Amino acid sequence: MPDTRKMDTRSRVVKRIENIADICGYCSKEVMYDCILCEGMCGRWFHSACSGLSELEFKDLSENEDSEWSCQRCSKEKKSNEEEDEDNPITEAIRVLRRQVEERRQVEESIQPSIPTPATPTSNIENCRWGNSLKGDDIIKAVNDAYSETIKWKINLFKIPSGKSGKRLIEEMSKIVGYYINGTGMEEVAIKLLMVMPPLLLQKPSKKSKTKKHVEYLEKRLKWWTDGDLQSLLREGMEIQKRLTKGKKTEENKEKVFVRLMLQGKVSNAMRWIGSQATSVLDVTPDVMKTLKDKHPPPTPAGKGSLLLGAKQNVEDVIYENIDGDLIELCARKMSGSAGPSGLDADGWKRILCSKQFSSKSKQLAENIAAMARKLCTKNVIPEHLEAYTACRLIPLDKKPGVRPVGIGEVLRRIIGKAISRVLQSDMVGATAPIQVCAGLSGGVEAAVHGLRRIFNDDETEAIILVDADNAFNRLNRTAALHNIQFICPEIATYLINTYRNPARLFISNSDKELLSEEGVTQGDNCAMGKYSCSLMPLVQTVAQSTSDASKVKQVWYADDAAGGGKLEEVLRWWEKLNETGPLFGYYPKPAKTWLIVKPHCKEKAEKMFPNIQVSEVGHRYLGSFIGTEEGTKSFVERKVDEWNNDIEDLADIAKREPQAAYSAFNYGLSKRWNYVCRTTPGISQYLKRLEYKIQESFIPAILDRSFGTDETSRKLFALPVKEGGLGIYDLSLMSDLEYKYSCQVTSDLTEAIYKQNPDFYDDQEKLVEIKTQIRKSRIEFFKERKEEVTKDLNETQKLQLDLTSEKGASSWLSSLPLKSFGFCLNKQEFNDALALRYNFGIKDAARKCVCGSDNSINHSLICKRGGYVSLRHNSLRDVIAELLETAGCKDVTTEPLLIPVNGRELPAGANKADGARLDVSARSVWNPLERAFLDVRVFHAQAPSNKALGSPTTMYNSHERQKKNLYNKRIVEVEHGTFTPIVLSTTGGMGREANKFFKKLADKLSRKSGQRYSEAMTFIRKRVRFDLLRTTVIALRGERGLKSSSAVKIAELDINLEPVL
């Protein structure tokens, strides 16, 4: 039956090549209604009046499914072809080709989506019992009721306590995951049970409740849980929820939230509360709800021509054996972010899966989760059982103007998705690179920018087009995607089919409303980007073939951000094909927000050819960078600088009260915003001078607590890396061009593949590592030269101070996040005084005279015996070392051990022979099994005249170590039959050779006992020792008296591997 239409319902945006389908094949006027499609070779639309058909004939054709109609021209050609000589080989070849094309078209139109059917249940919950009260269908009802209630609750969970109760909870979680992976009768409710556990068992009983109370309530709730008494758990939880109050959104509260998040190491989250990227959650009004519904459209059937054909590749299950408990633990450690509907965030899961305090219980749960991941990758599971696994919290953020829906998936799904993506990364990259660069390619977004800029700068390129798609991630045709993914990347197909076969529930925050995600990909899924990139590959390949020569339009895609460049005529064909074919895959280009960047001499021609697209000869923003003229680049960067300057002002204001939090947010948060622009935009150093001025005159004085600006020498010093004695606040006018150069180097192969449209691109990881190593060496050499320049302008005292602050470990306090739980947090005065000590500034508001009568200064404060600050510094470090030894598993750890009397034994001159002599710490099994090791601590101030006279810091350490060894080494070896190690540190945080050797041994023992990596243990030891030394040093500067703070964190209670990694 020919395609006939009374009223044309086609979108005016959708145009076919050369506009054939939009004009009548007879009168050349636009076809709007009462039209019929020629089924001959021309494929044109004709008005019914121009077709030569009567009204009755037109009606019969439209109603008769077996009818065919061709225009007069095509009918004549067909008749002429039939009359041609049958023996003509050319004619016969044309006929065969036409038949093949027609057969292919018919096959493509008749193909239906092929998605494997889900498994059938192998067991029945009717035979299951839970506790004393629930069995069969009662279990399903109880679990569904609990889930429906708890997903509405505000997040109010306490940290899982260590000890028996915490282990029992994790053991119960492992058992529930086991229900699912083993396919028991409880499989139907297993995932929901797992998701209701946190809100039911970990609700804080009160706002200020402590760990002891949490343990008490957890034990009681676990008893209810094992008895199947969900009603008691729900009643208690609902009473707690009723009494929770909603915090007020004020500027003061925003700062408090910012600081709180920084003290937890959540830099990205903290930065969302201040500056230009600060946002807020909208109330769920009818208008907001309508917008959310519009952004989550209903499903559409797969369009004709959108489904791939061919044989499906078999995937061996063995490839998923790399998903094991260790990988799950690794992915959990690197996970961050808020909680899904269950309320358990990334930190909670991190503690459950990675904490060494739960030992084998955590490992068993990780292994079970790995088994669950393997099952989802290899079996077609029942999708209804994954309802709670795929659910998300939906948060309507203020887009200013508009609504930006942000989905937060369950952390468990994100951990499993991350593990699967790591194992299958090479498969997804191989299926999409180099044209689609968002499937896990290192530096993919930077390479996309570099590649497109190179395409635009090519002499043969007249224009590039930057395409914006409408609601791209939510409108991707899910049916076509799940069908095609089986051909494009079959390794990940089963997992995606399992998790996307059914719609996902979206629970709207601060509301009892919910939506369904029925199309596109779901936010909060780590595999979403891989799915999206693979799903669009048929479209990418289709539009690439739209031009007369596929290589004439060079394209690059980053997820939904499509771009192509070439001659105007070829770009037009590419654009038209994208509009024609894109909707078949759920990709809907938006002409109003699409930009065409042209060479100046092509602008007039381009505006005629692309009437519905914005045309610019200046350039436009692309993936956070800018492509275009120097004038356009300058305007773009200056707008960004205005935005960044406002952000710096906000941080500088916070620095007046919380300088450590502001400094960390600057280095690990805010600076990344302009670092990316520097790495992707060439020649912008001169436009960043205003930003540099704002940093120099506003932010640096704020963290130093100085009212004056920064002089040139100091600015050069502060621009050095932290480990080289600086603040790591780089001078962007010097670094921007260097960063761009490094970015081009590390993405060179991918950029070249994009430019040449090379389908055989190979992601050579070994070569990438070599390039990164070369860049690292280049950076070191660059800053070494900068440091030498700075040193020339310093006096001898300043040079010595720079050498001291450049020692290994001396700057670890400055490069650490202000983690309160690890004891790495400093208050305003401590941080400001620590910086003053680091750079030998005067102490602000300090007394001019010491109580001993001498002039007060940093040097005098650190060596004055009055007040006992020297002893405090020494004893505090001694106690930390003893605690570290105990934590590392050393036996018989003793502070101030009494030495065995010499009893006339001959010792070298200068050795301590006194009866009753004591050292600082002793322990067994430090160096050798059961052997007793003795340690003696000394902390010296390098700027003191007696030490300064020795010369370099290395000479100072060696001198103090020799003094200690002369006093005790021979006596310990011959009388105690043990070993002696002098622990010599300076007030600036450096340490001698013997101390460094000891702490390395300690880190090795600590890593072996706790299962932590050696590098993590060593880094933690350096930080802990440095912070303890810093605090006792700063106390001496102010002359305050008192005992060591009782709030010091116990090392044994910390999970070193859970320290947030940047």
Side-chain angles (χ1 to χ4, degrees):
M1 181 180 70
D3 192 355
T4 60
R5 299 182 184 178
K6 276 294 183 183
M7 293 298 293
D8 184 16
T9 58
R10 290 174 295 137
S11 168
R12 295 297 302 278
V13 175
V14 179
K15 296 181 180 295
R16 301 175 186 243
I17 297 175
E18 298 179 357
N19 298 328
I20 293 174
D22 294 313
I23 59 175
C24 177
Y26 180 81
C27 67
S28 298
K29 294 182 180 179
E30 191 169 22
V31 175
M32 293 295 293
Y33 55 89
D34 290 344
C35 50
I36 186 170
L37 179 67
C38 172
E39 294 180 293
M41 294 300 296
C42 74
R44 293 172 180 261
W45 286 91
F46 290 80
H47 294 115
S48 60
C50 298
S51 65
L53 298 168
S54 65
E55 290 187 11
L56 183 60
E57 289 173 330
F58 182 85
K59 182 179 179 182
D60 289 341
L61 285 170
S62 64
E63 295 176 352
N64 188 350
E65 294 184 358
D66 297 325
S67 62
E68 293 183 1
W69 181 82
S70 299
C71 66
Q72 293 180 2
R73 180 177 177 181
C74 290
S75 297
K76 289 180 181 179
E77 288 182 358
K78 183 178 179 180
K79 184 176 181 180
S80 175
N81 290 338
E82 291 174 349
E83 294 173 353
E84 287 179 359
D85 186 4
E86 294 288 340
D87 297 329
N88 188 331
I90 298 178
T91 303
E92 180 61 24
I94 292 174
R95 286 200 193 97
V96 171
L97 182 60
R98 286 174 176 171
R99 283 198 300 270
Q100 290 175 346
V101 170
E102 178 62 20
E103 289 172 0
R104 177 74 179 183
R105 183 185 66 81
Q106 292 176 359
V107 170
E108 288 182 349
E109 290 183 355
S110 64
I111 188 173
Q112 296 297 317
S114 173
I115 300 174
T117 56
T120 55
T122 57
S123 57
N124 199 318
I125 199 171
E126 292 180 0
N127 302 321
C128 296
R129 295 185 65 90
W130 183 14
N132 302 321
S133 55
L134 294 176
K135 65 178 181 179
D137 291 340
D138 293 338
I139 298 176
I140 298 176
K141 184 178 185 307
V143 173
N144 285 337
D145 290 346
Y147 186 74
S148 299
E149 176 62 32
T150 56
I151 51 99
K152 304 173 187 175
W153 289 0
K154 297 182 180 69
I155 297 175
N156 176 49
L157 307 186
F158 57 75
K159 185 174 76 170
I160 297 176
S162 52
K164 291 182 180 179
S165 59
K167 290 180 179 180
R168 280 186 60 203
L169 174 65
I170 297 174
E171 187 176 12
E172 193 68 25
M173 295 175 76
S174 295
K175 184 169 70 174
I176 291 172
V177 177
Y179 292 156
Y180 185 78
I181 61 179
N182 295 323
T184 67
M186 292 286 284
E187 177 185 5
E188 184 174 349
V189 295
I191 303 301
K192 266 188 185 174
L193 272 175
L194 190 64
M195 296 309 170
V196 299
M197 285 187 78
L200 290 179
L201 300 181
L202 299 177
Q203 280 285 310
K204 292 181 69 174
S206 68
K207 185 177 181 180
K208 297 182 179 180
S209 56
K210 303 298 181 183
T211 302
K212 183 178 179 181
K213 189 63 69 174
H214 297 164
V215 172
E216 177 185 329
Y217 271 88
L218 180 56
E219 290 175 347
K220 180 183 72 172
R221 292 167 182 172
L222 280 169
K223 177 66 169 58
W224 285 341
W225 178 270
T226 53
D227 290 343
D229 190 1
L230 290 185
Q231 289 302 316
S232 295
L233 289 167
L234 279 171
R235 283 195 300 270
E236 184 179 81
M238 286 188 287
E239 284 300 321
I240 294 172
Q241 287 289 317
K242 286 179 184 177
R243 287 160 173 75
L244 293 180
T245 57
K246 190 175 181 180
K248 297 180 180 179
K249 298 178 182 178
T250 65
E251 291 300 320
E252 182 180 359
N253 282 344
K254 285 184 178 181
E255 181 176 326
K256 287 182 180 179
V257 173
F258 166 80
V259 174
R260 174 173 58 79
L261 291 171
M262 286 300 302
L263 297 186
Q264 295 173 359
K266 299 177 180 179
V267 180
S268 297
N269 288 348
M271 293 303 297
R272 297 191 187 105
W273 284 83
I274 63 168
S276 58
Q277 294 188 8
T279 187
S280 58
V281 179
L282 295 170
D283 294 328
V284 186
T285 62
D287 289 341
V288 170
M289 192 64 196
K290 181 179 182 303
T291 302
L292 293 176
K293 287 181 179 178
D294 292 341
K295 288 184 177 291
H296 294 87
T300 56
K304 294 179 180 179
S306 66
L307 303 178
L308 297 180
L309 301 171
K312 296 178 183 178
Q313 177 184 338
N314 291 325
V315 179
E316 297 296 332
D317 292 352
V318 69
I319 68 174
Y320 305 105
E321 291 300 321
N322 290 315
I323 305 174
D324 55 18
D326 290 338
L327 180 59
I328 294 295
E329 182 181 338
L330 175 63
C331 292
R333 287 183 63 247
K334 295 190 175 183
M335 189 60 59
S336 61
S338 302
S342 69
L344 188 59
D345 64 9
D347 287 342
W349 275 102
K350 196 180 298 185
R351 179 168 172 79
I352 289 171
L353 291 171
C354 306
S355 174
K356 304 306 176 184
Q357 297 178 16
F358 304 122
S359 58
S360 61
K361 304 300 182 184
S362 293
K363 288 188 175 297
Q364 183 58 55
L365 177 58
E367 289 294 344
N368 282 4
I369 291 175
M372 177 181 170
R374 293 194 296 270
K375 178 176 180 177
L376 293 176
C377 288
T378 57
K379 308 293 183 184
N380 291 307
V381 302
I382 301 171
E384 288 77 14
H385 296 178
L386 294 175
E387 177 188 324
Y389 177 79
T390 59
C392 295
R393 277 198 304 136
L394 188 63
I395 302 177
L397 295 182
D398 190 355
K399 197 175 178 181
K400 300 178 182 178
V403 180
R404 175 180 287 113
V406 174
I408 304 176
E410 290 290 0
V411 177
L412 177 63
R413 184 185 188 184
R414 282 142 57 187
I415 291 172
I416 290 177
K418 194 176 189 71
I420 293 171
S421 296
R422 285 177 68 94
V423 171
L424 302 180
Q425 179 180 348
S426 60
D427 299 288
M428 291 188 288
V429 168
T432 58
I435 306 305
Q436 177 63 272
V437 295
C438 73
L441 276 170
S442 178
V445 65
E446 293 181 14
V449 177
H450 297 322
L452 189 62
R453 182 177 288 112
R454 185 174 172 186
I455 291 170
F456 180 67
N457 292 335
D458 194 318
D459 291 338
E460 295 185 2
T461 300
E462 293 180 340
I464 59 172
I465 187 168
L466 310 180
V467 181
D468 185 43
D470 179 51
N471 197 18
F473 286 96
N474 287 326
R475 296 189 72 181
L476 178 74
N477 190 294
R478 190 173 290 185
T479 302
L482 294 182
H483 170 91
N484 292 337
I485 202 79
Q486 298 172 82
F487 300 91
I488 299 166
C489 188
E491 293 83 2
I492 200 172
T494 301
Y495 177 76
L496 293 177
I497 290 170
N498 282 331
T499 53
Y500 282 95
R501 185 196 302 274
N502 276 16
R505 298 177 70 182
L506 307 178
F507 302 107
I508 302 173
S509 291
N510 301 324
S511 167
D512 58 356
K513 298 180 176 63
E514 69 172 273
L515 297 173
L516 291 178
S517 172
E518 300 177 280
E519 281 282 71
V521 295
T522 305
Q523 294 186 54
D525 175 20
N526 283 68
C527 292
M529 194 65 86
K531 176 194 172 185
Y532 192 86
S533 61
C534 291
S535 300
L536 284 188
M537 286 310 296
L539 174 61
V540 173
Q541 293 162 359
T542 299
V543 295
Q545 298 166 4
S546 62
T547 58
S548 57
D549 182 349
S551 64
K552 287 189 175 181
V553 172
K554 297 178 178 180
Q555 57 178 337
V556 59
W557 292 63
Y558 187 83
D560 64 311
D561 289 305
K567 298 288 186 182
L568 280 172
E569 290 78 7
E570 302 296 338
V571 172
L572 177 61
R573 291 191 181 95
W574 182 89
W575 167 244
E576 289 174 338
K577 190 66 174 179
L578 184 65
N579 278 282
E580 175 190 349
T581 313
L584 298 177
F585 300 92
Y587 186 88
Y588 298 86
K590 294 174 65 176
K593 290 191 175 182
T594 295
W595 283 81
L596 187 73
I597 315 303
V598 300
K599 302 288 178 66
H601 64 279
C602 300
K603 186 177 181 182
E604 185 176 349
K605 179 181 177 182
E607 288 176 339
K608 293 179 180 178
M609 295 177 67
F610 296 85
N612 299 323
I613 295 177
Q614 301 179 77
V615 179
S616 172
E617 60 181 324
V618 176
H620 193 260
R621 182 176 58 84
Y622 175 65
L623 295 180
S625 182
F626 189 89
I627 297 179
T629 64
E630 183 177 341
E631 176 189 354
T633 302
K634 178 182 178 182
S635 177
F636 166 77
V637 175
E638 287 183 342
R639 289 194 303 271
K640 300 298 289 185
V641 168
D642 290 338
E643 177 184 306
W644 297 331
N645 280 345
N646 292 333
D647 294 342
I648 289 173
E649 283 291 347
D650 289 346
L651 269 187
D653 181 60
I654 293 174
K656 296 174 183 177
R657 296 169 292 279
E658 294 288 347
Q660 188 187 21
Y663 171 77
S664 295
F666 179 91
N667 269 357
Y668 299 123
L670 183 57
S671 62
K672 291 182 178 180
R673 298 177 185 175
W674 52 71
N675 284 346
Y676 173 79
V677 175
C678 291
R679 290 179 64 82
T680 56
T681 317
I684 63 172
S685 57
Q686 57 185 326
Y687 311 136
L688 298 173
K689 290 182 178 179
R690 284 195 300 119
L691 178 61
E692 166 58 26
Y693 179 82
K694 178 65 70 173
I695 294 172
Q696 183 171 330
E697 297 300 317
S698 179
F699 183 72
I700 293 179
I703 63 169
L704 293 175
D705 195 24
R706 298 288 191 266
S707 59
F708 52 84
T710 307
D711 60 75
E712 185 177 353
T713 301
S714 296
R715 181 64 188 101
K716 290 180 180 179
L717 175 59
F718 299 152
L720 294 174
V722 170
K723 64 181 180 180
E724 295 296 338
L727 290 177
I729 302 177
Y730 303 122
D731 186 342
L732 296 177
S733 60
L734 297 174
M735 291 298 297
S736 60
D737 292 340
L738 193 63
E739 289 295 336
Y740 179 76
K741 172 187 171 184
Y742 291 153
S743 177
C744 290
Q745 288 177 357
V746 81
T747 62
S748 57
D749 285 355
L750 182 54
T751 301
E752 182 73 11
I754 292 171
Y755 177 73
K756 292 184 176 180
Q757 303 286 281
N758 179 15
D760 300 322
F761 169 75
Y762 171 64
D763 187 19
D764 191 341
Q765 288 296 311
E766 291 184 1
K767 183 178 180 181
L768 190 62
V769 169
E770 291 178 4
I771 294 174
K772 289 182 177 179
T773 301
Q774 294 172 0
I775 291 174
R776 193 177 301 111
K777 291 178 179 178
S778 176
R779 284 182 187 276
I780 293 172
E781 189 62 31
F782 172 80
F783 285 116
K784 182 180 178 181
E785 294 175 0
R786 297 291 300 169
K787 186 175 181 180
E788 290 174 355
E789 292 180 18
V790 172
T791 305
K792 293 177 183 178
D793 298 328
L794 303 179
N795 58 39
E796 293 302 317
T797 299
Q798 292 171 328
K799 289 179 181 178
L800 175 59
Q801 192 67 21
L802 183 58
D803 289 340
L804 292 168
T805 54
S806 301
E807 291 183 286
K808 192 172 185 65
S811 300
S812 57
W813 69 275
L814 198 55
S815 59
S816 300
L817 290 172
L819 303 175
K820 188 175 182 179
S821 60
F822 280 76
F824 298 162
C825 177
L826 302 173
N827 62 33
K828 171 181 167 58
Q829 189 176 83
E830 287 173 335
F831 187 79
N832 292 148
D833 288 352
L835 287 177
L837 174 63
R838 179 178 177 85
Y839 296 112
N840 211 22
F841 294 153
I843 301 300
K844 190 175 181 180
D845 301 327
R848 294 185 178 182
K849 288 285 185 179
C850 178
V851 293
C852 70
S854 302
D855 290 338
N856 201 6
S857 65
I858 289 179
N859 289 341
H860 178 77
S861 298
L862 296 181
I863 61 176
C864 181
K865 302 291 185 180
R866 297 291 293 270
Y869 305 124
V870 175
S871 297
L872 177 65
R873 188 161 60 238
H874 169 277
N875 294 344
S876 178
L877 184 57
R878 174 202 65 198
D879 294 341
V880 168
I881 291 173
E883 188 179 0
L884 285 167
L885 285 166
E886 289 178 342
T887 307
C890 296
K891 306 299 182 183
D892 192 22
V893 179
T894 309
T895 56
E896 297 190 357
L898 183 66
L899 299 184
I900 299 173
V902 176
N903 292 333
R905 187 186 296 266
E906 186 175 343
L907 295 175
N912 188 334
K913 304 175 184 178
D915 292 342
R918 295 175 181 271
L919 290 177
D920 288 322
V921 184
S922 72
R924 294 191 183 273
S925 301
V926 177
W927 303 106
N928 300 304
L930 300 181
E931 182 183 58
R932 198 175 188 191
F934 291 84
L935 312 171
D936 204 46
V937 176
R938 174 174 289 183
V939 182
F940 70 92
H941 182 53
Q943 292 284 10
S946 59
N947 291 313
K948 195 174 180 180
L950 296 174
S952 68
T954 302
T955 306
M956 298 179 196
Y957 292 119
N958 292 339
S959 174
H960 286 288
E961 286 178 348
R962 281 196 302 270
Q963 292 176 26
K964 286 289 184 182
K965 285 187 174 183
N966 289 340
L967 281 170
Y968 297 107
N969 191 60
K970 200 73 173 178
R971 179 171 179 173
I972 296 299
V973 172
E974 295 186 0
V975 178
E976 300 285 346
H977 292 180
T979 60
F980 174 72
T981 304
I983 308 298
V984 179
L985 292 92
S986 69
T987 54
T988 52
M991 62 181 69
R993 184 176 63 87
E994 295 283 348
N996 191 46
K997 182 180 177 182
F998 165 74
F999 284 123
K1000 285 183 177 180
K1001 181 66 175 179
L1002 193 60
D1004 180 63
K1005 295 182 75 65
L1006 186 61
S1007 66
R1008 290 176 184 274
K1009 182 188 177 185
S1010 62
Q1012 324 282 4
R1013 289 186 295 181
Y1014 169 80
S1015 58
E1016 293 172 344
M1018 189 65 210
T1019 300
F1020 170 76
I1021 288 173
R1022 288 189 186 280
K1023 289 180 181 179
R1024 183 58 192 265
V1025 170
R1026 183 66 187 100
F1027 270 95
D1028 192 87
L1029 183 58
L1030 180 67
R1031 284 195 175 90
T1032 54
T1033 302
V1034 168
I1035 289 174
L1037 294 179
R1038 288 286 170 183
E1040 295 180 0
R1041 304 182 185 278
L1043 298 175
K1044 182 181 176 183
S1045 173
S1046 61
S1047 63
V1049 180
K1050 297 294 183 183
I1051 296 173
E1053 296 178 0
L1054 292 177
D1055 289 304
I1056 299 170
N1057 63 316
L1058 300 190
E1059 179 183 346
V1061 179
L1062 296 173

